[in-house]
Amino acid sequence: MTNLSPLQIERLKYQPKLPSSLANGINHLVSQEGSATEAVANKEEIKALFKNTYGKPTVTFQTSTESVASKERNVGVILSGGQAPGGHNVIAGLYDALKQANPNNNLYGFLGGPSGIIDGKYVEFNDEFINDYRNTGGFDIIGSGRTKLETEDQFQKALGVCKKLNISAVVIIGGDDSNTNAALLAEWFVANGADIQVIGCPKTIDGDLKNEQIEISFGFDTATKTYAELIGNIERDANSAKKYWHFVKIMGRSASHVALEAALQTQPNITLISEEVEQKKMSLASIIDYMVDIIVKRADMGKNFGIAVIPEGLIEFIPEMKSMIANLNDIMAELESDPAFVNAPTIREKFDIVENRLSEENAKVYNSLPAIIKGQLLADRDPHGNVQVSKIETEKLLIEMISQKLEEMKLEGSYIGKFSAQAHFFGYEGRCAFPSNFDADYCYSLGFNAFALINFGLTGYLSSVRNLTEPANDWIAGGVPLTMMMNMEKRHGEMKPVIKKALVELDGPVFKKLEENREDWALNDRYLFPGAIQYFGPSSVCDITTVTLQLESQEKLDKSRLARV
Amino acid sequence: MTNLSPLQIERLKYQPKLPSSLANGINHLVSQEGSATEAVANKEEIKALFKNTYGKPTVTFQTSTESVASKERNVGVILSGGQAPGGHNVIAGLYDALKQANPNNNLYGFLGGPSGIIDGKYVEFNDEFINDYRNTGGFDIIGSGRTKLETEDQFQKALGVCKKLNISAVVIIGGDDSNTNAALLAEWFVANGADIQVIGCPKTIDGDLKNEQIEISFGFDTATKTYAELIGNIERDANSAKKYWHFVKIMGRSASHVALEAALQTQPNITLISEEVEQKKMSLASIIDYMVDIIVKRADMGKNFGIAVIPEGLIEFIPEMKSMIANLNDIMAELESDPAFVNAPTIREKFDIVENRLSEENAKVYNSLPAIIKGQLLADRDPHGNVQVSKIETEKLLIEMISQKLEEMKLEGSYIGKFSAQAHFFGYEGRCAFPSNFDADYCYSLGFNAFALINFGLTGYLSSVRNLTEPANDWIAGGVPLTMMMNMEKRHGEMKPVIKKALVELDGPVFKKLEENREDWALNDRYLFPGAIQYFGPSSVCDITTVTLQLESQEKLDKSRLARV
């Protein structure tokens, strides 16, 4: 790397903070076991599938005055799935702990995601290599990929590669699916007497990998702050020019955590939450009505501008859209090999063919959509033949339908404003930002801690660092059995053991915060401008974490206080 | 303002730096006059139009040991046109100088842009009000607008409002058009014996208001850094996932300064420059060929990813598109009242009607475009009936045409890669960011200096702060007659005096820097990751300005050295 920006040069020098329990050295730890654990649901099925790794206790690390000699080990590490800020620091923390434990230890990085361990594509890390990536964003140190580790054949190949490199532990840095795979691999290695440990690390900007033991996945902090920077800037622009409504769609897959957090940091006029739409069975028409109501009220106050924040996954949560999309997925599987469809001379004719095949109810829904969205529903399909909902421009769908509705109201005389809208989609802008101080510290600690779990001979555990709203010094490091987070869910028609995804809870403190304020934010302009992430300077600016984490920690604290009374 | 983000709280405390010449106090200045000036072109016409304000000397301020008492004054200030980071600081600097000169002075802010001075809508500033906006982005302190001040009637009304408020000077913060209007208003006030001065301040993120005396307009620094932050993050994402080409369109109107600067800060694989396209008369097909060539070469190297940066104004500079759009604008003026067109049942039929009316050559161009772009060319027209080129999704046009071309090449066997693209458009994200330290200091100095120009009785001047690549202490403050920057140009069919827009010069050092490196950047990945703007911390990160300014200053220095030899 010959080309470095000034910020990168400075960030390479940053020394991430560790919990005090880990800071005394990797060979000065004792492990405290909690009681045996159980899966969050479907206990018997999970237990049967994970005979060797089920039911283990949680562990917590504490400083020991005695030094324990560490045996020599080779470890492999994998980055799995979408990028999240801080991945490089997980590897740096893991590397530093591993070398601190025994300078003869080696760390191998598998290239291009989980396929690297199957195909035997890897690099060996050394100081110089690692040092170029400390506190930087991206997963480019070894690349990432989306291959799922789940078949016997893949496991066999992984075993062969590990044996060749004399690897006795693998760290998988990934989201819920990747950590489900980590659990399967851990179980398989034990069942097959392989003596290779598997440790997971909780990664995803989406924030949907969390539970009682995992307060938040890494990357959520940096990504949401980056999106909030942009939304705040746009709010200020809207409030200055006073002529546009900005519709901002935010990445985050099915869960709305990212949109919700970005909204709490910026206080826009409208925030849609997919989980609420689903639970309240809101139709597309009722969503439009809700938004139009606010737009009209603001127009009556002379304010023909505003900001609406929309979660990426929204469309899947609208009941009639969900039904129509499922119907469409079935039809498209047939149509893709139907010459009448494939060779239809115009897109309009394709629309007609599709409409005729859909059920009456679904055809009505399909037909109500703007042409651009109809086209996207047909065009962008994933390798399984399913529509890629993330590629549907929901923000433009809403703008177009709202425009139509407002036009009608104008003719009736019930709306006298001007509606001019700008659409935005933020996702790739935040997944590889330089990790915030919080994510830099958290990730480094997660990686360092992952090696502690390895050193204590554990497998099938997720690296866990908790108490995150306190200073890093007071963070609690340990491990959580992966099976503890699992339940059975239907995937591709089959019941499978998977880590339960955390969606936004409508009775949780984070959604409630939005609910309590949204009427006020809708009509009065309570815009907050968070600005760019700061890495140096006042602690009040540089060291605060997300509203989500603060509210959820406060709730846990309140609950435990209440329990004690 | 009850709702402040942590960064905002800290930034309100920041004390912007002033040039040492101004820092000793507004009443401790002497003015040094340069020689008489002339317009950049059409000298006689400009002189005839600006009988009273033409040919004045440039001025420079220096510290005086003597204190000069300042008479009481009321001043009005206007924010004109699109937002640019730092506008609030211009007003804060102006306010502080005005109150320092004489505590009885008053500053009025006209609301909603130039229309405020016509309609008499204003606020009076006081400490508390100003303090809430120091070092913040946006123009929301008094709002902005795009009304052009140019008619006799408007000038008369403005005079009436100024008389009512006893205002003896007006500061107009705006781009080239707004400062052209400032020059007209200054001349009119003198010609009509109004004894009201007019001072301009150079604002625009586009960077196209600059010349020998004005090194850069304010806002360019912060906006380009914000866009570069996002492009850098996307580069890191592309380089990690290795599966997408990202096409990033960047705001900046006709000029490509913003795209060029953002590219120099991030070193993407492809950068298009509108001025080059125009000068080399590149057709759309040749642009596509250029991009496809790089995409195919990278694919052959196994790299099916990359970043392309595209200036907002590109489409207007492609000769055949320019001709077609001009033809289309004429046709649409007729078609908008033609029932056959207005009531055409499908968009396809509208396309056909348009195609039949276009000249043969232009029809061919129109017909070659994807349907989505054809639609945008018909749909989004400005109040003058012209297509709003900024609303044409050029980034999607390029993606679609490149996809088609690559499909053809795949069939021929000359391309074996995968092309999957993501489109982005950045503009509103950067116009209202918290001003960088550079823009915070520069804007405050421009505003402070504007009052110095007023205090010395000048009118028709642009506030000028130069030597900007040196520390603020060494900046040179003074004024430049607005007429000096003017020439005659055709506007709406009439020759008008206007400030000459600065486009990217192909023989200038900034474009040359791109030209020298772009082959290397195209195939080898030289991505630079600037990260978020930093306001605190190491000077190497917080206090550097743009590559554009650095290169242009260096060139001036080299030229003046050469001249001396």
Side-chain angles (χ1 to χ4, degrees), chain A residues 3 5 83 137 139-140 229 233 236-237 240 267 393 396 422 424 428-429 431 529 533-535, chain B residues 3 5 83 137 139-140 229 233 236-237 240 267 393 396 422 424 428-429 431 529 533-535:
Chain A
N3 245 331
S5 75
Q83 281 74 248
F139 279 7
D140 41 328
E229 172 200 354
N233 287 356
R236 194 123 210 181
D237 202 294
S240 300
Q267 308 185 170
E393 294 180 291
K396 290 195 180 161
Q422 300 282 350
H424 310 260
Y428 300 100
E429 293 77 2
R431 307 196 314 174
F529 315 119
I533 295 179
Q534 297 299 300
Y535 302 94
Chain B
N3 245 328
S5 76
Q83 281 75 249
F139 279 6
D140 40 328
E229 173 200 355
N233 288 356
R236 194 121 213 184
D237 203 294
S240 301
Q267 308 187 169
E393 294 181 293
K396 291 196 179 161
Q422 301 281 351
H424 310 261
Y428 300 100
E429 293 77 1
R431 307 197 312 176
F529 314 120
I533 296 180
Q534 297 299 301
Y535 303 94

Side-chain angles (χ1 to χ4, degrees), chain B residues 196-217:
Chain B
I196 301 173
Q197 299 158 251
V198 182
I199 301 294
C201 277
K203 172 231 70 169
T204 169
I205 66 158
D206 304 339
D208 56 4
L209 173 53
K210 63 179 172 184
N211 48 49
E212 281 300 309
Q213 286 73 36
I214 301 297
E215 295 178 359
I216 193 66
S217 54

Side-chain angles (χ1 to χ4, degrees), chain A residues 20-131:
Chain A
S20 62
S21 57
L22 301 179
N24 273 349
I26 192 76
N27 293 333
H28 288 79
L29 291 178
V30 284
S31 145
Q32 280 203 323
E33 289 191 0
S35 45
T37 59
E38 290 196 295
V40 285
N42 313 102
K43 298 178 176 48
E44 289 311 313
E45 291 100 315
I46 303 289
K47 190 175 178 181
L49 289 164
F50 294 88
K51 289 191 179 68
N52 300 285
T53 48
Y54 185 84
K56 304 277 182 201
T58 57
V59 299
T60 307
F61 296 120
Q62 281 172 345
T63 296
S64 158
T65 48
E66 280 169 50
S67 168
V68 187
S70 178
K71 69 165 190 174
E72 269 185 49
R73 298 172 193 277
N74 290 347
V75 174
V77 63
I78 296 169
L79 288 166
S80 180
Q83 281 74 248
H88 290 163
N89 268 27
V90 177
I91 297 178
L94 174 63
Y95 177 83
D96 286 354
L98 168 141
K99 289 290 182 188
Q100 202 184 83
N102 190 325
N104 295 324
N105 288 347
N106 291 309
L107 181 64
Y108 295 98
F110 291 108
L111 298 174
S115 65
I117 197 173
I118 301 170
D119 305 337
K121 292 192 175 152
Y122 63 90
V123 286
E124 190 186 330
F125 290 107
N126 59 32
D127 287 358
E128 211 186 345
F129 185 12
I130 288 275
N131 287 347

Side-chain angles (χ1 to χ4, degrees), chain B residues 109-331:
Chain B
F110 290 108
L111 297 175
S115 65
I117 197 174
I118 300 169
D119 305 334
K121 292 193 175 152
Y122 64 90
V123 286
E124 190 184 332
F125 290 108
N126 58 32
D127 286 358
E128 210 187 347
F129 186 10
I130 288 273
N131 288 347
D132 278 346
Y133 290 88
R134 291 182 188 269
N135 310 302
T136 59
F139 279 6
D140 40 328
I141 189 169
I142 47 174
S144 185
R146 294 190 183 273
T147 302
K148 299 220 174 301
L149 279 178
E150 49 190 7
T151 68
E152 176 76 19
D153 177 53
Q154 290 173 327
F155 293 163
Q156 288 285 5
K157 284 183 178 156
L159 176 60
V161 170
C162 288
K163 275 190 174 161
K164 198 187 108 197
L165 294 171
N166 196 24
I167 282 174
S168 66
V170 177
V171 175
I172 297 178
I173 303 168
D176 51 347
D177 280 351
S178 307
N179 277 298
T180 294
N181 290 169
L184 291 170
L185 183 62
E187 175 67 23
W188 190 89
F189 277 148
V190 181
N192 290 272
D195 202 17
I196 301 173
Q197 299 158 251
V198 182
I199 301 294
C201 277
K203 172 231 70 169
T204 169
I205 66 158
D206 304 339
D208 56 4
L209 173 53
K210 63 179 172 184
N211 48 49
E212 281 300 309
Q213 286 73 36
I214 301 297
E215 295 178 359
I216 193 66
S217 54
F218 80 76
F220 180 74
D221 187 88
T222 308
T224 55
K225 283 174 180 164
T226 303
Y227 304 141
E229 173 200 355
L230 302 180
I231 296 170
N233 288 356
I234 290 173
E235 285 179 341
R236 194 121 213 184
D237 203 294
N239 196 40
S240 301
K242 300 190 190 295
K243 64 178 181 181
Y244 291 122
W245 266 90
H246 292 269
F247 281 55
V248 186
K249 189 175 72 176
I250 307 280
M251 212 177 237
R253 299 213 164 207
S254 310
S256 302
H257 298 292
V258 179
L260 179 54
E261 171 64 30
L264 292 177
Q265 285 185 34
T266 57
Q267 308 187 169
N269 304 102
I270 295 174
T271 307
L272 301 179
I273 298 295
S274 304
E275 290 85 343
E276 183 182 25
V277 167
E278 181 171 54
Q279 199 156 319
K280 298 187 178 166
K281 295 191 173 47
M282 291 171 75
S283 65
L284 186 53
S286 72
I287 294 170
I288 300 292
D289 284 346
Y290 168 70
M291 298 178 89
V292 162
D293 182 56
I294 292 171
I295 292 165
V296 171
K297 279 184 182 150
R298 287 179 63 86
D300 290 345
M301 300 163 81
K303 297 193 281 197
N304 288 302
F305 65 91
I307 316 282
V309 167
I310 301 147
E312 176 185 42
L314 180 71
I315 205 166
E316 285 180 286
F317 286 79
I318 303 170
E320 82 258 28
M321 294 295 285
K322 195 174 178 175
S323 153
M324 186 270 289
I325 288 170
N327 195 174
L328 199 58
N329 285 340
D330 293 343
I331 289 171

Side-chain angles (χ1 to χ4, degrees), chain B residues 292-497:
Chain B
V292 162
D293 182 56
I294 292 171
I295 292 165
V296 171
K297 279 184 182 150
R298 287 179 63 86
D300 290 345
M301 300 163 81
K303 297 193 281 197
N304 288 302
F305 65 91
I307 316 282
V309 167
I310 301 147
E312 176 185 42
L314 180 71
I315 205 166
E316 285 180 286
F317 286 79
I318 303 170
E320 82 258 28
M321 294 295 285
K322 195 174 178 175
S323 153
M324 186 270 289
I325 288 170
N327 195 174
L328 199 58
N329 285 340
D330 293 343
I331 289 171
M332 288 303 292
E334 301 158 24
L335 285 181
E336 274 174 347
S337 53
D338 182 339
F341 180 79
V342 176
N343 303 323
T346 72
I347 186 81
R348 267 188 83 80
E349 286 168 60
K350 288 192 179 188
F351 293 169
D352 292 342
I353 295 172
V354 166
E355 234 182 282
N356 287 333
R357 297 239 191 156
L358 285 167
S359 77
E360 199 186 324
E361 205 52 45
N362 290 328
K364 230 166 74 184
V365 173
Y366 183 76
N367 197 30
S368 73
L369 300 173
I372 182 172
I373 304 295
K374 280 184 182 175
Q376 287 171 356
L377 281 165
L378 301 192
D380 300 298
R381 314 194 79 74
D382 74 10
H384 308 288
N386 293 322
V387 66
Q388 291 184 56
V389 282
S390 72
K391 291 207 174 173
I392 305 295
E393 294 181 293
T394 321
E395 65 284 17
K396 291 196 179 161
L397 168 66
L398 295 173
I399 289 172
E400 186 134 350
M401 297 189 81
I402 288 169
S403 295
Q404 277 176 20
K405 174 110 190 181
L406 290 172
E407 281 301 319
E408 291 164 23
M409 292 176 71
K410 209 166 225 177
L411 291 176
E412 290 167 11
S414 53
Y415 171 66
I416 48 160
K418 273 185 203 170
F419 180 70
S420 186
Q422 301 281 351
H424 310 261
F425 171 43
F426 298 136
Y428 300 100
E429 293 77 1
R431 307 197 312 176
C432 288
F434 284 89
S436 62
N437 288 348
F438 173 86
D439 268 329
D441 297 345
Y442 180 39
C443 289
Y444 187 80
S445 299
L446 282 171
F448 198 98
N449 182 63
F451 189 77
L453 293 167
I454 292 169
N455 229 5
F456 279 89
L458 301 169
T459 190
Y461 275 71
L462 191 64
S463 178
S464 155
V465 175
R466 291 177 298 129
N467 207 26
L468 294 170
T469 50
E470 297 300 311
N473 208 34
D474 299 331
W475 289 353
I476 298 163
V480 183
L482 285 163
T483 52
M484 187 180 179
M485 307 170 185
M486 296 180 106
N487 66 0
M488 300 297 290
E489 290 178 24
K490 207 171 181 178
R491 294 285 162 95
H492 302 289
E494 251 182 280
M495 290 306 284
K496 296 248 181 177

